[in-house]
Amino acid sequence: MDMDHEAGTGRTVRATTVTADGDLMRWVELPGEEPARVYVHGLGATSPAYFTEVAVHPLLAGRRSLLIDLLGHGLSDRPTDFDYTLESHADALARALESAGVTGAEVIAHSMGGSVAVVLAARHPRLVSRLVLVDANLDPITPVPGAGGSSGIAAYGEKEFLAGGWEEVRDRVGPGWWSTMRLTGREALHRTATHLVRGTVPTMRELLVELEIPRTYLLPEADGPLPGAEALTRAGVSVVPVPDCGHNIMLDNPEDFVRVTAAALTSPRGARTRTV
């Protein structure tokens, strides 16, 4: 089932059912040429807030673009009986893309969304023709009480998180991230973080290495070398440091983000430049 309504000139909010219980995933769609581009947000985020500025930049505009919110996040429904594993997120995303008539998409995905995108490409290869991963999680990590992001969220048990742990997370992440995290279902937030730190088997890194499509990995230059970058490069993954930014590269330095992403989407093997 597809539903849509106009969200302004040239933009449409669309929705489709992705679970047996009728839960909807929603996205903002920008018209343009095929193949489609799919933008996927990180944990506690929403794609329209994080990607609209870069998606309409002249270097990236002109393609059909789906700024999609994963189940439990942003505009999408927040079911409490969904397990929110990376595999389930990827399968729900696949159902949304299939409903939208998307095949061979160029997927630009941030942080946790990058992990989901890798799993999507591995499980549903006909849906993805190219990946641009934006500081994505590739490996399992250890939950750390009091830490920011997924590590700190996953350190709570679910009951503890729902009973008040989420308020501690709210205070730690600050108003910027909380402005979109508050839209995320609390069960969705905790379960997604928990499965993100556990990772997948094989790991997201191992899945990424095995993919045969063009792949680019963007990271903040200030973070230093990406662990395992040489092995990724040998496997054909282009690893590109971006200056003057933190984890939210597309928000912190949109001009360089757009230039590198445009290169990644036009080069036969992804972005070939190691620095911007």
Side-chain angles (χ1 to χ4, degrees):
M1 176 175 60
D2 288 323
M3 296 177 284
D4 60 78
H5 66 270
E6 293 301 315
T9 304
R11 294 175 294 164
T12 302
V13 176
R14 298 190 62 188
T16 194
T17 303
V18 295
T19 70
D21 292 330
D23 300 300
L24 298 175
M25 283 182 68
R26 298 179 178 86
W27 63 93
V28 171
E29 183 162 331
L30 309 175
E33 298 179 357
E34 300 285 350
R37 287 185 182 145
V38 177
Y39 293 85
V40 188
H41 60 82
L43 180 70
T46 170
S47 289
Y50 276 66
F51 284 112
T52 296
E53 179 182 2
V54 295
V56 300
H57 188 284
L59 288 179
L60 294 179
R63 285 288 187 87
R64 181 188 180 197
S65 297
L66 287 71
L67 284 66
I68 197 159
D69 283 347
L70 297 172
L71 207 60
H73 290 71
L75 301 173
S76 294
D77 284 355
R78 298 175 285 278
T80 58
D81 56 353
F82 190 74
D83 62 17
Y84 295 101
T85 65
L86 297 179
E87 294 86 353
S88 293
H89 271 305
D91 290 347
L93 177 56
R95 286 189 285 273
L97 297 181
E98 289 166 351
S99 177
V102 171
T103 58
E106 299 173 342
V107 179
I108 300 98
H110 179 231
S111 196
M112 176 274 294
S115 305
V116 172
V118 170
V119 177
L120 174 73
R123 291 168 71 90
H124 305 276
R126 73 182 191 88
L127 296 178
V128 184
S129 65
R130 191 178 291 259
L131 279 178
V132 178
L133 303 177
V134 186
D135 211 18
N137 302 70
L138 298 181
D139 306 298
I141 59 177
T142 302
V144 177
S150 58
S151 176
I153 294 170
Y156 295 94
E158 183 169 309
K159 290 183 178 179
E160 181 187 12
F161 182 78
L162 297 178
W166 68 269
E167 294 174 314
E168 298 173 356
V169 170
R170 175 197 62 196
D171 296 340
R172 284 202 298 269
V173 302
W177 196 359
W178 185 251
S179 68
T180 57
M181 188 181 286
R182 66 187 179 85
L183 304 175
T184 308
R186 291 173 191 166
E187 292 88 354
L189 183 60
H190 183 266
R191 292 175 196 170
T192 300
T194 298
H195 290 294
L196 179 62
V197 302
R198 290 177 184 169
T200 56
V201 180
T203 66
M204 296 83 78
R205 183 182 296 269
E206 291 167 335
L207 292 174
L208 178 63
V209 165
E210 293 300 317
L211 294 175
E212 297 182 354
I213 57 176
R215 295 146 295 160
T216 299
Y217 188 101
L218 310 184
L219 74 154
E221 186 176 70
D223 286 358
L226 178 70
E230 290 185 4
L232 291 177
T233 301
R234 287 196 300 270
V237 180
S238 297
V239 178
V240 184
V242 181
D244 303 322
C245 64
H247 180 57
N248 298 322
I249 301 174
M250 74 294 291
L251 299 179
D252 297 339
N253 188 350
E255 288 298 322
D256 280 336
F257 175 86
V258 165
R259 280 196 288 272
V260 172
T261 300
L265 296 174
T266 55
S267 171
R269 289 184 57 194
R272 306 299 289 274
T273 306
R274 293 297 296 263
T275 58
V276 179

